[in-house]
Amino acid sequence: MGYKLSPLAFDYYLKALRNTYRIFAPVLQKGKGKFAGTDVISYGEINSLDDIMLDRKSYFSPKEVLYPIRETLFYFLNDETKAPAINVKPILILVRPCDLNGIGKLDRVFLNNGQEVDFYYARRRELIKFAMIECVEGFDTCFCVSMDSNVANNYDMAVRFDEDNITVKVVDKSLITKDLTHADTAIFEPAFIQENKVKVTIPEVDLVTKKTFDHELWEEYTSRCIACGRCNTSCITCSCYTMQDIKLSDDKKIGERRRVWAGCHIDGFTNMAGGHNFRKKNGEKMRFKTMHKINDFYKRFNEHMCVGCGRCDDVCPEYISFSKCINKLNAIVREETLHE
Amino acid sequence: MGINGKIVTKNAYRITKTRNKTALRIRVPGGYIKVKHFTLIQSIAEEYGDGTVHITTRQGFEIPHIDFDKIAQINKKIRPLIESLGLDIEVTDYGYPAAGTRNISACVGSRICPQANNDTTKIARKIERTIYPNDFHFKVAITGCPNDCIKAHMQDFGIICTTDPQYDANRCISCKACVKNCKKNVTGALEMNNFNVKRDAEKCIGCGECILKCPIGAWSRGETPYYRMVIMGRTGKKNPRIAMPFIKWSSEDVVVGVIKNTYAFVGRHIDRSLPKEHIGYIVDRVGYQVFKQEVMEGLKLNKKIQIAENIQWHGYYYKQDNQFKSI
């Protein structure tokens, strides 16, 4: 069912929803950009339409709403453990289709990856509903169409933000409040972006060989990448984490265990006992990430991990473009295949 | 030709080595100027000078090789340049009203530079409006961060823009990027403690590097900008020395107020038997404690401010330079 709302009516609708849901959306964090006098857009809880930032892409993805940066798994006291309670008020997140697809990748990792379901992810994920932001223009660095993630259908509600009004399509009936039933009905099917400025061609999965691994391309990234980790922290699909045991007593028997985001470009990633580190050079880290996003993940789940949101391009202080890397890799793989 | 040297100098024209020729100094506070003024500078240099300008060490322009008798004509023409300073005083056709207080220089600041903690141009222009015109010889510079690209440490008043970094432990991924960088490039004010970053407020200089290095936004800028002020640095033929920290974590009002109050301080204590006496030497003569007391008077201090108990300036005296022997 579709409804057309004035901005004011939409605010009343949000207000009604907030009785049941905590609503998250891209929010402008004033003065919180890393450079002086700059803002950053990240996901935060909203109260009204004015809080929602749609003009620019969010710097950080919505993943932190359903997969906290730091999460205490349990507290321990001698042999006893206790998982902390979480806020169980349901959540409604406003996301673009790429991110909605990206969350699908997180679901694969945490919910459909072997026999065990991740308890912590699952209990939060169950609380979440999605209001998909119609996205037909995208931004300069987006390449969702190439990654087949421009279209998403698993939303509970879709929203079109026009200058003068907001149109919503409600799939999940529980999201219909009396504010909607009083509003004008409308026929509304969200449209999806059909072409990005940036296009990538993924090298065919099976054609990536050991030779591709040893290619000098990765040396270029060794000289350019500074391994700051921003590509990992801004990515909607990066889901690696590490563990921390925080001991609060001298005998180390009281404390908490938490998991914390980690990333292949972040110092200490997969370090082993004795200080062993598999990927010392930054080009090797870049290769690892690239392969995971457009090769390895596919082998396991039959779909690519990267959704082409382009945030890694947006945030890289060294202006490394992941889409360019994919295309370069594709050219190399084609070259290698031709010469075999 | 009869020239009243005092009058022309005050009018921003200098006595040059070429007899009967002068040079005009154009003020460019913060080194920030709209390029539309270039055509005026160009036309004056071509019509009255030798078609060249010198870009001064303080970020102004000096137009050389001007005949003294053209000053009145030129003064009329440079009115737009003086108007562009946005001063509170009435602009006339008589040129610059003072030249003693030198052009306020500034690094490019946060309009361009990622390292900068503040808009140095804006602050430079604000201070210009506060202290110009004034005849006392003051040198003021503003730098966006403790890298001090403008060499605030060589000024009578050097203002270093800082930020009070805010840490959100809930966002921290313990990557140590801030800790390692602070240790290597700054003061080592950060250390890891139980997977959290602990900041030693005494060691922190507010450079904002932790914010720049953090990949997850666990560090962010505080709402209020702060300033460190270093004072009484100087060059010169007697005792060159670097400016020393006077106040830390100061509000903008206090740093501006200190400079303003120093004019009255100099007015009370300057040795008028000399052709001129630089502030640094006046402070040396009357003592830091007197200076501190007088320039802080009436200022509303912000809560976080710290003021130096004492200052020991270093530098050296040319006359004690006895380390050299002829080969």
Side-chain angles (χ1 to χ4, degrees):
Chain A
M1 201 60 182
Y3 305 94
K4 195 169 231 175
L5 302 167
S6 69
L8 190 68
F10 186 73
D11 264 348
Y12 278 115
Y13 177 48
L14 286 182
K15 200 177 170 193
L17 286 176
R18 279 173 50 225
N19 290 327
T20 319
Y21 297 93
R22 299 161 69 203
I23 307 176
F24 286 81
V27 171
L28 188 78
Q29 316 270 2
K30 207 94 190 91
K32 291 292 170 189
K34 66 179 163 176
F35 303 132
T38 63
D39 312 317
V40 70
I41 303 164
S42 58
Y43 268 73
E45 202 170 340
I46 60 151
N47 293 320
S48 69
L49 176 64
D50 278 350
D51 295 339
I52 307 171
M53 178 64 187
L54 297 166
D55 305 344
R56 284 180 279 155
K57 196 194 300 177
S58 70
Y59 185 100
F60 292 112
S61 85
K63 91 180 157 192
E64 61 194 72
V65 180
L66 57 159
Y67 170 38
I69 298 167
R70 268 187 182 195
E71 177 163 32
T72 299
L73 301 185
F74 53 81
Y75 298 100
F76 56 85
L77 167 57
N78 292 321
D79 297 334
E80 295 166 39
T81 61
K82 186 170 170 34
I86 59 167
N87 185 344
V88 292
K89 186 170 178 180
I91 291 172
L92 181 70
I93 319 183
L94 278 82
V95 285
R96 290 175 192 275
C98 57
D99 284 338
L100 190 47
N101 283 310
I103 290 163
K105 318 291 175 180
L106 296 177
D107 289 348
R108 306 276 177 287
V109 170
F110 289 112
L111 305 176
N112 306 304
N113 186 15
Q115 291 175 343
E116 295 297 325
V117 165
D118 188 291
F119 163 81
Y120 298 95
Y121 183 84
R123 68 171 176 169
R124 201 172 261 105
R125 181 72 176 78
E126 282 168 7
L127 300 170
I128 292 172
K129 286 184 179 161
F130 296 105
M132 188 183 71
I133 303 165
E134 184 185 53
C135 185
V136 287
E137 284 176 11
F139 300 96
D140 283 350
T141 52
C142 299
F143 54 101
C144 56
V145 178
S146 300
M147 297 315 299
D148 212 10
S149 61
N150 52 324
V151 178
N153 295 313
N154 54 330
Y155 50 83
D156 301 292
M157 173 166 118
V159 195
R160 171 183 288 170
F161 292 93
D162 287 320
E163 193 84 339
D164 305 325
N165 52 58
I166 294 104
T167 320
V168 296
K169 173 189 167 191
V170 182
V171 177
D172 182 328
K173 295 279 184 291
S174 71
L175 293 167
I176 297 175
T177 72
K178 69 173 185 345
D179 303 272
L180 289 186
T181 47
H182 292 165
D184 294 340
T185 56
I187 297 166
F188 168 50
E189 271 305 316
F192 297 97
I193 187 168
Q194 295 304 319
E195 193 179 2
N196 303 116
K197 283 180 207 150
V198 177
K199 298 176 178 70
V200 299
T201 310
I202 309 286
E204 221 174 289
V205 170
D206 295 336
L207 296 182
V208 174
T209 61
K210 175 81 168 59
K211 219 170 139 192
T212 327
F213 268 59
D214 298 332
H215 196 277
E216 61 187 20
L217 167 72
W218 308 114
E219 289 297 328
E220 179 199 324
Y221 293 111
T222 293
S223 71
R224 291 175 66 196
C225 173
I226 57 168
C228 70
R230 283 181 179 80
C231 51
N232 294 139
T233 57
S234 66
C235 178
I236 178 70
T237 66
C238 272
S239 45
C240 292
Y241 57 78
T242 186
M243 286 294 173
Q244 296 177 343
D245 278 357
I246 295 93
K247 284 121 186 168
L248 300 173
S249 66
D250 291 337
D251 65 4
K252 298 179 178 175
K253 286 180 177 165
I254 303 172
E256 70 176 275
R257 170 166 294 182
R258 66 181 171 221
R259 71 173 170 201
V260 181
W261 287 7
C264 48
H265 288 252
I266 294 164
D267 195 34
F269 184 71
T270 61
N271 274 4
M272 298 187 64
H276 294 292
N277 184 331
F278 294 115
R279 293 167 296 277
K280 287 198 177 71
K281 290 191 206 165
N282 293 347
E284 292 167 342
K285 295 171 187 173
M286 184 73 180
R287 182 184 66 198
F288 182 82
K289 180 182 72 191
T290 307
M291 291 306 171
H292 194 200
K293 298 292 179 193
I294 58 153
N295 196 273
D296 301 335
F297 192 88
Y298 186 93
K299 288 177 185 164
R300 187 165 178 83
F301 297 109
N302 239 352
E303 59 184 82
H304 288 301
M305 189 180 199
C306 174
V307 292
C309 73
R311 286 194 180 89
C312 47
D313 278 31
D314 302 333
V315 303
C316 180
E318 301 300 312
Y319 283 83
I320 292 170
S321 160
F322 188 55
S323 53
K324 283 223 163 68
C325 173
I326 296 173
N327 284 333
K328 279 186 207 173
L329 188 65
N330 183 54
I332 289 161
V333 170
R334 282 181 56 189
E335 188 76 4
E336 283 171 356
T337 320
L338 281 177
H339 291 289
E340 259 176 24
Chain B
M1 182 185 269
I3 302 287
N4 186 332
K6 285 228 163 52
I7 291 174
V8 295
T9 308
K10 194 180 158 179
N11 203 194
Y13 293 90
R14 73 153 97 208
I15 307 295
T16 70
K17 60 177 281 200
T18 308
R19 194 78 189 161
N20 300 330
K21 295 283 185 190
T22 183
L24 166 66
R25 265 179 291 177
I26 308 283
R27 296 180 78 83
V28 185
Y32 174 86
I33 186 169
K34 296 221 163 105
V35 290
K36 68 179 182 192
H37 297 301
F38 284 180
T39 47
L40 180 57
I41 295 168
Q42 180 187 3
S43 75
I44 289 165
E46 283 174 352
E47 198 174 327
Y48 302 99
D50 63 359
T52 69
V53 293
H54 173 69
I55 296 173
T56 74
T57 55
R58 302 203 65 82
Q59 299 180 319
F61 294 103
E62 182 154 353
I63 308 176
H65 225 71
I66 290 171
D67 288 326
F68 277 106
D69 58 9
K70 296 293 191 299
I71 287 178
Q73 282 180 42
I74 295 169
N75 278 347
K76 277 200 178 99
K77 292 193 171 176
I78 60 173
R79 195 172 166 140
L81 281 166
I82 302 167
E83 279 165 348
S84 78
L85 300 174
L87 303 175
D88 291 331
I89 57 154
E90 198 192 334
V91 178
T92 68
D93 278 338
Y94 303 108
Y96 286 102
T101 289
R102 296 299 196 252
N103 189 45
I104 294 161
S105 30
C107 71
V108 73
S110 67
R111 294 185 183 194
I112 309 287
C113 178
Q115 306 271 334
N117 290 310
N118 214 325
D119 185 347
T120 51
T121 310
K122 197 172 149 197
I123 300 162
R125 291 178 67 84
K126 180 179 176 174
I127 294 176
E128 174 82 354
R129 281 196 299 280
T130 310
I131 65 173
Y132 183 79
N134 232 309
D135 294 330
F136 290 138
H137 188 135
F138 276 36
K139 290 183 181 128
V140 180
I142 301 110
T143 201
C145 80
N147 278 357
D148 193 9
C149 295
I150 200 66
K151 317 304 180 224
H153 281 88
M154 299 309 295
Q155 317 289 323
D156 299 317
F157 293 99
I159 298 168
I160 301 164
C161 300
T162 58
T163 185
D164 183 20
Q166 308 291 307
Y167 178 65
D168 179 358
N170 287 322
R171 291 194 73 83
C172 181
I173 55 171
S174 320
C175 72
K176 305 188 194 78
C178 56
V179 174
K180 283 192 282 191
N181 180 68
C182 190
K183 189 170 254 172
K184 217 167 177 180
N185 297 324
V186 196
T187 57
L190 305 177
E191 59 176 86
M192 292 308 292
N193 180 25
N194 235 349
F195 301 103
N196 285 337
V197 181
K198 213 172 99 195
R199 169 172 161 263
D200 182 339
E202 290 300 307
K203 281 187 187 167
C204 176
I205 59 167
C207 66
E209 280 281 332
C210 47
I211 302 160
L212 295 172
K213 291 290 179 289
C214 181
I216 186 75
W219 285 107
S220 64
R221 292 173 189 280
E223 269 179 40
T224 322
Y226 289 102
Y227 304 87
R228 167 186 285 249
M229 185 184 244
V230 292
I231 59 164
M232 308 305 144
R234 64 189 172 207
T235 54
K237 297 184 180 94
K238 198 171 164 185
N239 171 219
R241 67 186 188 190
I242 206 161
M244 294 296 282
F246 170 42
I247 41 184
K248 301 201 288 193
W249 307 110
S250 166
S251 69
E252 186 175 304
D253 286 348
V254 172
V255 290
V256 175
V258 161
I259 301 173
K260 205 174 161 189
N261 285 349
T262 306
Y263 283 91
F265 166 84
V266 170
R268 283 190 292 276
H269 298 288
I270 195 166
D271 181 350
R272 294 187 193 271
S273 72
L274 301 166
K276 68 175 162 189
E277 190 182 28
H278 285 135
I279 337 168
Y281 290 100
I282 302 171
V283 175
D284 291 351
R285 200 154 42 68
V286 304
Y288 169 69
Q289 297 305 333
V290 175
F291 167 81
K292 179 166 73 171
Q293 196 195 335
E294 294 191 12
V295 300
M296 291 308 242
E297 205 166 303
L299 297 182
K300 193 168 174 287
L301 303 184
N302 56 298
K303 214 171 150 194
K304 210 176 146 60
I305 199 166
Q306 295 180 356
I307 305 161
E309 297 268 311
N310 284 297
I311 297 180
Q312 186 68 56
W313 282 277
H314 303 288
Y316 73 101
Y317 284 87
Y318 279 107
K319 68 179 177 189
Q320 288 166 354
D321 215 4
N322 52 9
Q323 300 299 314
F324 297 88
K325 287 201 168 63
S326 298
I327 302 164

PDB file of all heavy atoms in Angstrom, chain A residues 24 64-65 91 100 106 111 135 241 261-262 271 274:
ATOM      1  N   PHE A  24      16.703   4.716  13.058  1.00  0.00           N
ATOM      2  CA  PHE A  24      18.069   5.110  12.702  1.00  0.00           C
ATOM      3  C   PHE A  24      18.116   5.527  11.242  1.00  0.00           C
ATOM      4  O   PHE A  24      17.478   4.911  10.396  1.00  0.00           O
ATOM      5  CB  PHE A  24      19.058   3.972  12.953  1.00  0.00           C
ATOM      6  CG  PHE A  24      19.358   3.757  14.405  1.00  0.00           C
ATOM      7  CD1 PHE A  24      18.477   3.035  15.201  1.00  0.00           C
ATOM      8  CD2 PHE A  24      20.505   4.282  14.984  1.00  0.00           C
ATOM      9  CE1 PHE A  24      18.742   2.839  16.552  1.00  0.00           C
ATOM     10  CE2 PHE A  24      20.782   4.089  16.324  1.00  0.00           C
ATOM     11  CZ  PHE A  24      19.898   3.363  17.118  1.00  0.00           C
ATOM     12  N   GLU A  64      26.981  -0.465  11.990  1.00  0.00           N
ATOM     13  CA  GLU A  64      27.199  -0.368  13.432  1.00  0.00           C
ATOM     14  C   GLU A  64      25.897  -0.430  14.241  1.00  0.00           C
ATOM     15  O   GLU A  64      25.923  -0.666  15.430  1.00  0.00           O
ATOM     16  CB  GLU A  64      27.987   0.896  13.782  1.00  0.00           C
ATOM     17  CG  GLU A  64      27.337   2.193  13.404  1.00  0.00           C
ATOM     18  CD  GLU A  64      28.333   3.362  13.474  1.00  0.00           C
ATOM     19  OE1 GLU A  64      29.228   3.470  12.621  1.00  0.00           O
ATOM     20  OE2 GLU A  64      28.193   4.162  14.397  1.00  0.00           O
ATOM     21  N   VAL A  65      24.763  -0.223  13.547  1.00  0.00           N
ATOM     22  CA  VAL A  65      23.476  -0.309  14.263  1.00  0.00           C
ATOM     23  C   VAL A  65      23.178  -1.768  14.633  1.00  0.00           C
ATOM     24  O   VAL A  65      22.672  -2.059  15.703  1.00  0.00           O
ATOM     25  CB  VAL A  65      22.325   0.272  13.415  1.00  0.00           C
ATOM     26  CG1 VAL A  65      21.003   0.181  14.166  1.00  0.00           C
ATOM     27  CG2 VAL A  65      22.614   1.718  13.025  1.00  0.00           C
ATOM     28  N   ILE A  91      13.929  -1.786  16.142  1.00  0.00           N
ATOM     29  CA  ILE A  91      14.659  -0.735  15.433  1.00  0.00           C
ATOM     30  C   ILE A  91      14.161  -0.675  13.996  1.00  0.00           C
ATOM     31  O   ILE A  91      13.925  -1.705  13.357  1.00  0.00           O
ATOM     32  CB  ILE A  91      16.180  -1.043  15.451  1.00  0.00           C
ATOM     33  CG1 ILE A  91      16.733  -0.882  16.872  1.00  0.00           C
ATOM     34  CG2 ILE A  91      16.950  -0.153  14.474  1.00  0.00           C
ATOM     35  CD1 ILE A  91      18.161  -1.349  17.046  1.00  0.00           C
ATOM     36  N   LEU A 100      21.200  -2.267   2.098  1.00  0.00           N
ATOM     37  CA  LEU A 100      20.281  -3.354   2.436  1.00  0.00           C
ATOM     38  C   LEU A 100      20.853  -4.676   1.912  1.00  0.00           C
ATOM     39  O   LEU A 100      20.846  -5.698   2.614  1.00  0.00           O
ATOM     40  CB  LEU A 100      18.902  -3.067   1.828  1.00  0.00           C
ATOM     41  CG  LEU A 100      17.740  -3.945   2.258  1.00  0.00           C
ATOM     42  CD1 LEU A 100      17.678  -4.130   3.761  1.00  0.00           C
ATOM     43  CD2 LEU A 100      16.414  -3.343   1.761  1.00  0.00           C
ATOM     44  N   LEU A 106      26.141  -9.502   5.579  1.00  0.00           N
ATOM     45  CA  LEU A 106      26.412  -9.704   7.010  1.00  0.00           C
ATOM     46  C   LEU A 106      25.589 -10.871   7.534  1.00  0.00           C
ATOM     47  O   LEU A 106      26.066 -11.677   8.343  1.00  0.00           O
ATOM     48  CB  LEU A 106      26.098  -8.434   7.812  1.00  0.00           C
ATOM     49  CG  LEU A 106      26.919  -7.179   7.525  1.00  0.00           C
ATOM     50  CD1 LEU A 106      26.401  -6.010   8.358  1.00  0.00           C
ATOM     51  CD2 LEU A 106      28.397  -7.406   7.824  1.00  0.00           C
ATOM     52  N   LEU A 111      24.749 -15.480  10.174  1.00  0.00           N
ATOM     53  CA  LEU A 111      23.590 -16.356  10.394  1.00  0.00           C
ATOM     54  C   LEU A 111      23.623 -17.640   9.555  1.00  0.00           C
ATOM     55  O   LEU A 111      23.062 -18.651   9.947  1.00  0.00           O
ATOM     56  CB  LEU A 111      22.280 -15.603  10.092  1.00  0.00           C
ATOM     57  CG  LEU A 111      22.056 -14.288  10.854  1.00  0.00           C
ATOM     58  CD1 LEU A 111      20.781 -13.616  10.373  1.00  0.00           C
ATOM     59  CD2 LEU A 111      22.001 -14.537  12.364  1.00  0.00           C
ATOM     60  N   CYS A 135      16.659   5.118  -4.176  1.00  0.00           N
ATOM     61  CA  CYS A 135      17.930   5.697  -4.618  1.00  0.00           C
ATOM     62  C   CYS A 135      18.042   5.527  -6.124  1.00  0.00           C
ATOM     63  O   CYS A 135      18.302   4.421  -6.594  1.00  0.00           O
ATOM     64  CB  CYS A 135      19.085   5.020  -3.883  1.00  0.00           C
ATOM     65  SG  CYS A 135      20.700   5.726  -4.208  1.00  0.00           S
ATOM     66  N   TYR A 241      36.162  -9.431  13.210  1.00  0.00           N
ATOM     67  CA  TYR A 241      36.287  -8.897  14.573  1.00  0.00           C
ATOM     68  C   TYR A 241      37.394  -9.603  15.313  1.00  0.00           C
ATOM     69  O   TYR A 241      37.900 -10.641  14.885  1.00  0.00           O
ATOM     70  CB  TYR A 241      34.969  -9.008  15.337  1.00  0.00           C
ATOM     71  CG  TYR A 241      34.395 -10.404  15.456  1.00  0.00           C
ATOM     72  CD1 TYR A 241      34.905 -11.316  16.388  1.00  0.00           C
ATOM     73  CD2 TYR A 241      33.332 -10.801  14.639  1.00  0.00           C
ATOM     74  CE1 TYR A 241      34.370 -12.595  16.489  1.00  0.00           C
ATOM     75  CE2 TYR A 241      32.799 -12.074  14.749  1.00  0.00           C
ATOM     76  CZ  TYR A 241      33.328 -12.975  15.671  1.00  0.00           C
ATOM     77  OH  TYR A 241      32.798 -14.238  15.784  1.00  0.00           O
ATOM     78  N   TRP A 261      35.434  -4.687  16.321  1.00  0.00           N
ATOM     79  CA  TRP A 261      35.732  -4.705  14.888  1.00  0.00           C
ATOM     80  C   TRP A 261      37.231  -4.804  14.653  1.00  0.00           C
ATOM     81  O   TRP A 261      38.031  -4.142  15.327  1.00  0.00           O
ATOM     82  CB  TRP A 261      35.261  -3.404  14.221  1.00  0.00           C
ATOM     83  CG  TRP A 261      33.787  -3.262  14.047  1.00  0.00           C
ATOM     84  CD1 TRP A 261      32.817  -4.083  14.515  1.00  0.00           C
ATOM     85  CD2 TRP A 261      33.120  -2.190  13.365  1.00  0.00           C
ATOM     86  NE1 TRP A 261      31.579  -3.591  14.153  1.00  0.00           N
ATOM     87  CE2 TRP A 261      31.744  -2.438  13.452  1.00  0.00           C
ATOM     88  CE3 TRP A 261      33.560  -1.050  12.693  1.00  0.00           C
ATOM     89  CZ2 TRP A 261      30.796  -1.580  12.886  1.00  0.00           C
ATOM     90  CZ3 TRP A 261      32.624  -0.199  12.140  1.00  0.00           C
ATOM     91  CH2 TRP A 261      31.255  -0.477  12.227  1.00  0.00           C
ATOM     92  N   ALA A 262      37.585  -5.598  13.664  1.00  0.00           N
ATOM     93  CA  ALA A 262      38.970  -5.663  13.211  1.00  0.00           C
ATOM     94  C   ALA A 262      38.910  -5.551  11.699  1.00  0.00           C
ATOM     95  O   ALA A 262      37.832  -5.562  11.111  1.00  0.00           O
ATOM     96  CB  ALA A 262      39.602  -6.968  13.647  1.00  0.00           C
ATOM     97  N   ASN A 271      47.217 -11.430  13.606  1.00  0.00           N
ATOM     98  CA  ASN A 271      48.550 -11.693  14.147  1.00  0.00           C
ATOM     99  C   ASN A 271      48.512 -12.991  14.940  1.00  0.00           C
ATOM    100  O   ASN A 271      47.510 -13.316  15.567  1.00  0.00           O
ATOM    101  CB  ASN A 271      48.984 -10.554  15.083  1.00  0.00           C
ATOM    102  CG  ASN A 271      49.623  -9.417  14.306  1.00  0.00           C
ATOM    103  OD1 ASN A 271      49.681  -9.451  13.075  1.00  0.00           O
ATOM    104  ND2 ASN A 271      50.095  -8.421  15.019  1.00  0.00           N
ATOM    105  N   GLY A 274      53.796 -15.424  18.782  1.00  0.00           N
ATOM    106  CA  GLY A 274      55.163 -15.245  18.320  1.00  0.00           C
ATOM    107  C   GLY A 274      55.299 -14.064  17.370  1.00  0.00           C
ATOM    108  O   GLY A 274      56.347 -13.839  16.782  1.00  0.00           O
TER     109      GLY A 274
END
